[in-house]
Short mmCIF file of all heavy atoms in Angstrom, two decimals:
data_model
loop_
_atom_site.label_atom_id
_atom_site.label_comp_id
_atom_site.label_asym_id
_atom_site.label_seq_id
_atom_site.Cartn_x
_atom_site.Cartn_y
_atom_site.Cartn_z
N ILE A 8 44.23 123.94 63.72
CA ILE A 8 44.92 122.89 63.11
C ILE A 8 46.37 122.90 63.70
O ILE A 8 47.06 123.88 63.72
CB ILE A 8 45.09 123.09 61.60
CG1 ILE A 8 43.73 123.21 60.84
CG2 ILE A 8 45.85 121.98 60.88
CD1 ILE A 8 42.88 121.90 61.04
N MET A 10 50.09 121.33 63.50
CA MET A 10 50.97 120.73 62.35
C MET A 10 52.44 120.57 62.93
O MET A 10 52.79 121.08 64.09
CB MET A 10 51.00 121.70 61.24
CG MET A 10 49.74 121.84 60.52
SD MET A 10 49.78 123.11 58.99
CE MET A 10 50.84 122.17 57.96
N VAL A 17 55.95 122.70 49.70
CA VAL A 17 55.07 121.96 48.91
C VAL A 17 54.41 120.80 49.81
O VAL A 17 53.21 120.65 49.87
CB VAL A 17 55.69 121.37 47.59
CG1 VAL A 17 54.67 120.45 46.93
CG2 VAL A 17 56.13 122.46 46.74
N LYS A 18 55.27 120.17 50.57
CA LYS A 18 54.71 119.07 51.41
C LYS A 18 53.80 119.68 52.66
O LYS A 18 52.83 119.23 52.96
CB LYS A 18 55.93 118.31 52.07
CG LYS A 18 56.69 117.45 51.11
CD LYS A 18 57.75 116.74 51.77
CE LYS A 18 58.53 115.73 50.76
NZ LYS A 18 59.68 115.13 51.40
N ASN A 19 54.21 120.84 53.16
CA ASN A 19 53.58 121.44 54.16
C ASN A 19 52.13 121.89 53.54
O ASN A 19 51.19 121.87 54.40
CB ASN A 19 54.27 122.77 54.76
CG ASN A 19 55.64 122.24 55.36
OD1 ASN A 19 55.67 121.18 55.91
ND2 ASN A 19 56.56 123.18 55.33
N ALA A 20 52.11 122.42 52.37
CA ALA A 20 50.81 122.81 51.83
C ALA A 20 49.89 121.67 51.61
O ALA A 20 48.72 121.73 51.89
CB ALA A 20 51.11 123.47 50.42
N ALA A 21 50.44 120.51 51.21
CA ALA A 21 49.70 119.29 51.15
C ALA A 21 49.15 118.84 52.49
O ALA A 21 47.89 118.43 52.62
CB ALA A 21 50.46 118.23 50.60
N SER A 22 49.87 118.98 53.59
CA SER A 22 49.45 118.66 54.92
C SER A 22 48.45 119.52 55.36
O SER A 22 47.41 119.24 56.01
CB SER A 22 50.68 118.60 55.91
OG SER A 22 51.61 117.63 55.59
N MET A 23 48.55 120.88 55.19
CA MET A 23 47.57 121.79 55.45
C MET A 23 46.26 121.57 54.80
O MET A 23 45.21 121.65 55.48
CB MET A 23 48.14 123.22 55.13
CG MET A 23 47.09 124.38 55.44
SD MET A 23 47.66 126.00 54.82
CE MET A 23 47.21 125.84 53.09
N ALA A 24 46.33 121.29 53.44
CA ALA A 24 45.04 120.98 52.74
C ALA A 24 44.34 119.83 53.34
O ALA A 24 43.09 119.95 53.53
CB ALA A 24 45.41 120.80 51.22
N ARG A 25 45.03 118.70 53.58
CA ARG A 25 44.40 117.55 54.26
C ARG A 25 43.72 117.84 55.57
O ARG A 25 42.64 117.42 55.93
CB ARG A 25 45.36 116.39 54.44
CG ARG A 25 44.99 115.25 55.15
CD ARG A 25 46.08 114.15 55.13
NE ARG A 25 47.38 114.58 55.32
CZ ARG A 25 47.90 114.75 56.52
NH1 ARG A 25 47.07 114.49 57.67
NH2 ARG A 25 49.05 115.19 56.79
N LEU A 26 44.41 118.62 56.50
CA LEU A 26 43.91 118.88 57.80
C LEU A 26 42.76 119.94 57.65
O LEU A 26 41.76 119.81 58.48
CB LEU A 26 44.98 119.35 58.68
CG LEU A 26 46.05 118.37 59.02
CD1 LEU A 26 47.33 119.11 59.49
CD2 LEU A 26 45.53 117.40 60.02
N VAL A 27 42.79 120.88 56.78
CA VAL A 27 41.76 121.81 56.75
C VAL A 27 40.42 121.15 56.04
O VAL A 27 39.35 121.41 56.70
CB VAL A 27 42.07 122.96 55.75
CG1 VAL A 27 40.90 123.80 55.41
CG2 VAL A 27 43.07 123.91 56.35
N ARG A 28 40.60 120.15 55.24
CA ARG A 28 39.46 119.45 54.71
C ARG A 28 38.91 118.68 55.76
O ARG A 28 37.65 118.43 55.98
CB ARG A 28 39.90 118.61 53.51
CG ARG A 28 40.15 119.47 52.34
CD ARG A 28 40.29 118.43 51.08
NE ARG A 28 40.48 119.16 49.79
CZ ARG A 28 41.75 119.48 49.31
NH1 ARG A 28 42.80 118.84 49.75
NH2 ARG A 28 41.85 120.17 48.15
N GLU A 29 39.73 118.01 56.60
CA GLU A 29 39.24 117.24 57.84
C GLU A 29 38.47 118.06 58.83
O GLU A 29 37.30 117.72 59.18
CB GLU A 29 40.48 116.67 58.58
CG GLU A 29 40.10 115.74 59.70
CD GLU A 29 41.30 115.14 60.44
OE1 GLU A 29 42.36 114.92 59.83
OE2 GLU A 29 41.12 114.91 61.70
N ALA A 30 38.91 119.29 59.08
CA ALA A 30 38.15 120.17 59.89
C ALA A 30 36.78 120.60 59.32
O ALA A 30 35.80 120.56 60.02
CB ALA A 30 39.00 121.44 60.26
N ALA A 31 36.82 120.98 58.04
CA ALA A 31 35.62 121.32 57.35
C ALA A 31 34.57 120.19 57.32
O ALA A 31 33.35 120.29 57.59
CB ALA A 31 35.87 121.77 55.94
N THR A 40 45.34 127.77 60.98
CA THR A 40 46.56 127.00 60.81
C THR A 40 47.67 127.69 61.74
O THR A 40 47.46 128.85 62.17
CB THR A 40 47.06 126.82 59.40
OG1 THR A 40 47.66 128.10 58.95
CG2 THR A 40 46.04 126.31 58.53
N THR A 44 53.18 128.15 58.82
CA THR A 44 52.61 126.95 58.18
C THR A 44 53.40 126.43 57.09
O THR A 44 53.70 125.19 56.95
CB THR A 44 51.23 127.30 57.71
OG1 THR A 44 50.31 127.40 58.80
CG2 THR A 44 50.59 126.12 57.00
N ILE A 66 51.47 128.51 49.80
CA ILE A 66 50.55 128.39 51.02
C ILE A 66 49.40 129.53 50.83
O ILE A 66 48.29 129.10 51.05
CB ILE A 66 51.43 128.67 52.22
CG1 ILE A 66 52.46 127.61 52.55
CG2 ILE A 66 50.31 128.82 53.48
CD1 ILE A 66 51.82 126.22 52.83
N THR A 69 47.23 127.91 48.18
CA THR A 69 46.45 126.75 48.74
C THR A 69 45.34 127.17 49.72
O THR A 69 44.17 126.64 49.63
CB THR A 69 47.40 125.81 49.41
OG1 THR A 69 48.43 125.37 48.59
CG2 THR A 69 46.65 124.69 49.99
N GLY A 70 45.65 128.23 50.55
CA GLY A 70 44.67 128.79 51.48
C GLY A 70 43.44 129.30 50.68
O GLY A 70 42.33 129.08 51.12
N GLU A 72 42.53 128.48 47.60
CA GLU A 72 41.70 127.55 46.85
C GLU A 72 40.89 126.75 48.00
O GLU A 72 39.76 126.33 47.59
CB GLU A 72 42.75 126.64 46.25
CG GLU A 72 43.36 127.27 44.91
CD GLU A 72 44.48 126.42 44.37
OE1 GLU A 72 44.86 125.41 44.96
OE2 GLU A 72 44.90 126.78 43.21
N LEU A 73 41.49 126.49 49.06
CA LEU A 73 40.68 125.71 50.12
C LEU A 73 39.45 126.42 50.58
O LEU A 73 38.24 125.78 50.72
CB LEU A 73 41.47 125.38 51.23
CG LEU A 73 42.61 124.21 51.09
CD1 LEU A 73 43.61 124.23 52.17
CD2 LEU A 73 41.87 122.91 50.94
N GLU A 76 36.86 126.31 47.68
CA GLU A 76 36.49 124.84 47.39
C GLU A 76 35.51 124.43 48.55
O GLU A 76 34.41 123.88 48.29
CB GLU A 76 37.61 124.04 47.53
CG GLU A 76 37.23 122.50 47.50
CD GLU A 76 38.40 121.59 47.93
OE1 GLU A 76 39.56 121.91 47.69
OE2 GLU A 76 38.21 120.48 48.62
N LEU A 77 35.79 124.88 49.74
CA LEU A 77 34.97 124.38 50.94
C LEU A 77 33.98 125.40 51.40
O LEU A 77 33.00 125.06 52.14
CB LEU A 77 35.95 123.98 52.13
CG LEU A 77 36.92 123.04 51.83
CD1 LEU A 77 38.13 122.93 53.00
CD2 LEU A 77 36.26 121.62 51.68
#
Side-chain angles (χ1 to χ4, degrees):
I8 300 299
M10 297 177 65
V17 175
K18 291 181 179 179
N19 296 329
S22 295
M23 178 184 81
R25 172 172 46 80
L26 292 165
V27 169
R28 289 193 178 100
E29 180 181 331
T40 73
T44 291
I66 298 297
T69 302
E72 291 174 347
L73 285 167
E76 169 197 332
L77 300 169

